[in-house]
């Protein structure tokens, strides 16, 4: 059975990059918190709070860093017409 989520197929590249980064940090910090030190769970809390605040303020530091590095930035498509 092949079920696709139509919402994910229209996801912007920057949004996808942010989700990958957040998911990686959360997974890594939970593993480090379990195996190394419980203080690593603070990184999980930081990532969660950052995602929460960015939903309301529409500002995300990772998004600005990615944009400067050219990660997740959509290239403009030329229409072939010149003015």
């Amino acid at each position: 059975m092949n079920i696709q989520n139509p919402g994910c197929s229209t996801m912007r590249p920057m949004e996808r990059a942010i989700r990958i980064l957040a998911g990686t940090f959360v997974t890594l910090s939970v593993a480090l918190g379990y195996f190394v030190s419980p203080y690593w769970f603070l990184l999980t809390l930081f990532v969660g709070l950052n995602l929460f605040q960015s939903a309301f303020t529409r500002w995300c530091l990772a998004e600005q860093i990615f944009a400067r590095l050219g990660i997740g930035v959509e290239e403009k498509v030329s229409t072939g017409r010149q003015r």
Side-chain angles (χ1 to χ4, degrees):
M1 178 183 273
N2 187 10
I3 300 174
Q4 293 182 352
N5 184 349
C8 289
S9 64
T10 60
M11 188 183 311
R12 297 181 329 198
M14 180 64 75
E15 184 180 356
R16 186 166 190 248
I18 296 294
R19 287 184 180 195
I20 290 170
L21 179 69
T24 301
F25 276 6
V26 167
T27 303
L28 185 63
S29 65
V30 167
L32 288 170
Y34 183 78
F35 292 111
V36 178
S37 169
Y39 288 111
W40 282 103
F41 292 126
L42 293 174
L43 180 59
T44 308
L45 177 65
F46 173 76
V47 172
L49 289 174
N50 188 24
L51 289 170
F52 185 75
Q53 72 82 24
S54 68
F56 292 103
T57 64
R58 297 182 186 260
W59 180 83
C60 179
L61 179 61
E63 188 173 343
Q64 290 182 342
I65 293 170
F66 279 173
R68 287 188 182 224
L69 294 174
I71 300 171
V73 178
E74 296 181 50
E75 294 184 21
K76 293 181 180 178
V77 178
S78 177
T79 59
R81 292 186 287 171
Q82 294 181 355
R83 291 186 175 186

